[in-house]
Amino acid sequence: MKVSESRMVDGTDAQLRRRHIDILLGKYAESHLHPVNEIIHCICVPAIVFSFLGMIWSAHPLAACAAVMTSLLYYFSLSVRFAIGMLLMSAVMLLILQQLPPAGIWKISLLIFVVAWIGQFIGHKIEGKKPSFFDDLRYLLIGPLFVLGLLYRRLNLKY
């Protein structure tokens, strides 16, 4: 039996073939098992993304677009279908920001940002586990994919 065949038998090859996005989401999900924490994340993660984009938009709209494009490069490296979902979500958020009065964007974004992070930490208190990004900052970008993944599963879409 060849080495590659023996790995197939004992299941190690299956682990090696597992997509990077699946590994990241699996690790992220470990600290997001409580249903209340999951609901809080479904509300607060998009709010944080929106408010973060809003604060950048306040500096300059093109800076917000550049932030979206940079994150999309990472998302495309993980999953084309997730990247498309994030592109759509980001486009909607940028369109909303474009419609808001420029003078108020900074203040409302900061308020949403603070309130949403308080919600996140309440969710993790309920969960009894620390946020994933304490171990790896990449999870700040994985959080939106986790929420999008919940939507995809509900709609029976593959990612």
Side-chain angles (χ1 to χ4, degrees):
M1 183 181 294
K2 295 179 184 175
V3 173
S4 60
E5 290 173 344
S6 68
R7 281 198 308 212
M8 289 291 281
V9 172
D10 69 11
T12 358
D13 229 21
Q15 181 68 17
L16 292 174
R17 284 193 319 259
R18 197 167 168 213
R19 294 183 314 162
H20 189 60
I21 184 60
D22 295 323
I23 294 167
L24 290 168
L25 287 172
K27 179 71 174 155
Y28 189 89
E30 290 174 8
S31 60
H32 301 85
L33 299 172
H34 195 284
V36 172
N37 188 27
E38 193 173 283
I39 290 168
I40 289 171
H41 274 65
C42 287
I43 296 165
C44 291
V45 168
I48 289 168
V49 172
F50 177 76
S51 63
F52 183 70
L53 286 176
M55 289 186 283
I56 298 171
W57 183 276
S58 294
H60 197 285
L62 288 178
C65 293
V68 166
M69 295 309 293
T70 302
S71 65
L72 286 173
L73 290 173
Y74 179 63
Y75 292 141
F76 271 108
S77 76
L78 295 174
S79 163
V80 171
R81 290 181 178 169
F82 265 149
I84 292 168
M86 290 303 296
L87 173 64
L88 294 173
M89 184 185 78
S90 300
V92 168
M93 290 180 178
L94 291 173
L95 286 172
I96 291 169
L97 288 168
Q98 184 182 24
Q99 300 305 311
L100 294 175
I105 292 175
W106 169 254
K107 289 178 185 174
I108 192 72
S109 294
L110 183 60
L111 177 65
I112 292 170
F113 190 81
V114 170
V115 170
W117 273 110
I118 290 170
Q120 292 283 84
F121 284 108
I122 290 170
H124 280 286
K125 180 74 174 164
I126 292 167
E127 182 81 42
K129 295 182 182 171
K130 66 182 179 181
S132 302
F133 74 88
F134 282 179
D135 293 329
D136 187 339
L137 289 177
R138 276 184 305 182
Y139 288 107
L140 289 170
L141 289 169
I142 299 303
L145 297 183
F146 175 77
V147 172
L148 192 56
L150 294 173
L151 176 63
Y152 278 19
R153 284 190 292 284
R154 188 173 201 111
L155 298 174
N156 203 25
L157 298 173
K158 294 181 181 179
Y159 55 84

